[in-house]
Each structure stands twice: as structure tokens, then as C-alpha cells.
Amino acid sequence: MAGSRFANVDVDDFIKSTENANTKRKTACDLSLLSDYLRVEMELRPINEIAPEELNQYLAGFFVTVRKVDGNEYEPTSLRSMLGSYERFLRSKDYEECLITSIKFKRTRDALAAKKKNLKAQGKGNKPNAARGLNDKEVERFFTTGALSFDNPKNLQQLVWWNNCRYFGMRGCKEHRDLSWGDVVLCTGSNGKNYLEHNERQTKTRTGENERDLRQSVPQMWSTSGNPEDTRDPVSAYKIFAEKRPASMNEPDSPFYVAINQSNGKGAWYKKQPLGVNSIKSMMKNICDQADIQNESKGKLTNRKTMIQKLRRENVDSTDIIQISGHKNLNSLLSYDELDDDRKENISNILSDTATSSHSVVPRKRSLPEEPTQSASRFSPPGSQVFSGCTINGGTINIHLGGKSTSHSEPPPCRKRIMYDTDSSDDIE
């Protein structure tokens, strides 16, 4: 196009570039698995070229028979996500029917439902790989072991990453990878304290498609002590991180996380290039390894879940939590309500009658108003108990005892209905 106001961009390529990379990768993987099944059935056509009646039969058989590479069964949620991948692909190809709602794919949905019931009977569906949060003892160990500290460029950047997750509610890798230095601004409050303010970019729940879908409040990270040597003060960690970075990497559009200078010289701690995506992904794992935190569960440890669970344990209002976590629905917080090992042990001890006094649960008693005694309520004159037990020496006292007057109105007159017993309707006017 003529003129510099309009870029030369292919529309289809631009739309595809905005799609979530993980979603595209998941869809491609699930389509490859289904293609393997169709080749076994001697079907070589793409699924968007197969008639709904035929595709319905293929998908029903696929969900009943599919297994992992090692021969084990998939989790029920994995099978349901596969159905979503196929629906997403067919919708992009303008397929005539919907896998989720169309009556023509009822057999597919019935087969998937039966398969999930069968897997549940086998003990599947309990989410063994679900992420878990850290308890307070594990978090404390991060600091005592120096995994989060100012000691070296690795630990310092880990500390800044930890604070961004904990105070800003940032997710996983992509949000940290997209974060620019100018997205976090150092400010000063009316009380003189410093705080950091986060300008949110695209997130999992706020993609930008709906321009009205914005956070109602900007998340902030306040200084706790003002001591520049306090590793627990998130603002102090930010300031030291800013000092150790190359000056050219402190521009607003510079990447927030930068590569570590591995040379043994006394030069800058960091390089003039962004930190690799794999290094950001493994940040939590590296911190746990340094602190010797043993994760016996198959699921990964997550800082974001730790933050939300801590706020809920401290009885912070749910409407306040979602302002930090970025959730759009209050019900989304229910998935974070799980007992840690310490609370499970406490409950077990209570049921076993072995709980210590410091952990035992004392039922709260409701304070009920005391009922007046019969003598006071029925026979004592009004105001007779006002000066009970008092000693009065001299002076002038004016006492006015006024009772609430009640008027008793006459009851409404009763109307009588007279019934006539007669054999003829002519006798009644």
C-alpha cells in the first residue's frame, strides 16, 4: 500500500501470530495422534474432509482405544482436552458441525463419557501431576540457604523473579518473558515509602481481545523495611538489581530479565541480552534445588499457588485476592483450597485425640443475651434497678421515670354470616 501509515502485513499470518503458542503445539500433537489412529483404520483424509457420520464413528473408537506410548491409560482430563483440540481445528476449517454440541457426534461424547467412568473406576482422574504450593517452612528455607539473596547475579535475579510472582501474581514463563523493564515502575507513596507498580501486559485470562477486560486496580509491591541490605524487602532487591544491570538495559523497552555474565572478572553481573526462555522456565526448580527442597509429588511447585493459598489462610477477602492474582471469577479461587501436610497432620491428630493445645480446635460459643429473671421482668417497677447497690451522698437528683405507653385499640367488629336452610332458591333474596 502507498504511504507510510499502513504496513504491508498478510492478514492470515498476522492472525496466526497472535494465537497462543502452547495451544497451537497442543493441537498439532493431538491431531498427529488422531492421524495415527486413522491410518490404522485405513483412512487417509484430513478430519475436516470426513463427513460427520463417519468422523463420529472414528472418534468414538479413538477415545475408547487410545493409549500412551508405554501402553498406560491417559488421564480423563487429557482425553477431554483432545476433544477440545479437534473441535478447535475443525472450527478453524469452517466444519459444518460442532463436536461439543451437535447431535451427529452424540456417539463420540457418549464413548468419551463411558471411557472417563472406566478410568475413574481404575483410580484415574485424581490429578497426580497437579501443581502444589509451598508451605511457610519451605519459603523460609529459600532465604536461610541463600537461594534468594544478594550474593551473586543468579540468586539476585531469582529473588526478583520470586517477588514478581508473589506480589504481582505473574504466571509461569510467558508473562515473565514478555515483561519489559518499563513495565515495573518505582514510585513513592504519600507516606514516604517506596513501592513498585506493575503495568500488566497480555496474560492468560486477559488477552486484549476485549478492551474492557482490565484489572480494576494496579498491583503494587511495597517496601517493608527500607533497609538496602534486607533481602526480605522487595524494593531493595529491585534497586540492587537495577544497579547491577548494564545501563543500556534499563530502558523502558529493555527485557526485564537479562542473561548472567559468566566471566570471572569484576565486570557487570549481567549481559546486554535477554535471559533465555529455558532459564526462566527452570527458575523455580533451580531455587528448590539450591534450598534442597524435596518435591515428592509429581506435580511442579508453583510460586503463584503459594501466594494465593497464603492469602486465603490469612483470611484476606476473595475480592481483594483476585485483584492481585488477576482472576476474573471468584470461583476460580476454589481450586486453590487444599490442605497442606501440616494442616492434614493437625486434623489427623484432632481425630485421634492427640492434638496439642496449641493446635487443638476450640469450638466457638455463641454469646446469647441473658434472660431477665421473673422478679425483675414481671414485678419490679420501671427504673427500680437503676441505683441498685449505689451510695448517694447529698446533692439534688431529678428522676423521671417514663414508661412507654401502649394503646390498646378496640378489636374490629366481628361479622356474622347467616346461613339459611331451604329447599328453594326463591326464598333467598
Side-chain angles (χ1 to χ4, degrees), residues 80-139:
R80 177 57 183 84
S81 68
M82 291 180 189
L83 181 65
S85 295
Y86 305 144
E87 167 59 25
R88 186 164 46 248
F89 173 78
L90 293 175
R91 187 170 61 249
S92 67
K93 299 298 183 180
D94 296 326
Y95 196 70
E96 56 185 298
E97 299 291 342
C98 175
L99 300 182
I100 310 298
T101 61
S102 176
I103 190 64
K104 294 184 178 181
F105 287 96
K106 183 178 182 302
R107 182 177 177 83
T108 296
R109 296 192 295 272
D110 290 344
L112 178 58
K115 181 66 174 181
K116 290 193 291 186
K117 292 179 182 178
N118 177 264
L119 293 175
K120 186 62 177 176
Q122 300 178 35
K124 297 284 185 177
N126 295 322
K127 297 184 178 181
N129 299 327
R132 78 167 180 90
L134 295 142
N135 57 45
D136 292 339
K137 295 179 181 178
E138 292 171 326
V139 174

Side-chain angles (χ1 to χ4, degrees), residues 138 141-143 145-147 286-294:
E138 292 171 326
R141 187 167 177 78
F142 289 163
F143 290 92
T145 59
N286 293 336
I287 296 174
C288 292
D289 290 343
Q290 287 182 242
D292 195 24
I293 300 297
Q294 302 296 328

Side-chain angles (χ1 to χ4, degrees), residues 37 55 58 117-118 123 157 165 228 249 318 320 374 407 418:
Y37 172 79
L55 183 58
Y58 285 137
K117 292 179 182 178
N118 177 264
Q157 189 153 235
C165 292
M249 299 300 289
S318 297
D320 294 337
Q374 186 181 32
S407 59
I418 302 175

Side-chain angles (χ1 to χ4, degrees), residues 247-317:
S248 60
M249 299 300 289
N250 286 348
E251 297 297 325
D253 58 347
S254 300
F256 191 90
Y257 301 99
V258 287
I260 297 175
N261 187 0
Q262 302 293 348
S263 63
N264 296 325
K266 297 183 179 180
W269 277 17
Y270 303 101
K271 298 180 181 179
K272 299 179 181 180
Q273 64 186 52
L275 185 65
V277 62
N278 291 329
S279 298
I280 297 178
K281 284 183 178 180
S282 60
M283 197 80 74
M284 186 78 250
K285 181 179 181 301
N286 293 336
I287 296 174
C288 292
D289 290 343
Q290 287 182 242
D292 195 24
I293 300 297
Q294 302 296 328
N295 183 19
E296 298 180 357
S297 63
K298 296 181 180 179
K300 63 180 181 179
L301 301 173
T302 166
N303 190 357
R304 177 178 167 83
K305 196 167 189 176
T306 303
M307 177 266 293
I308 296 176
Q309 288 179 343
K310 181 175 180 60
L311 293 178
R312 290 185 68 82
R313 286 197 302 268
E314 297 295 331
N315 297 321
V316 177
D317 192 88

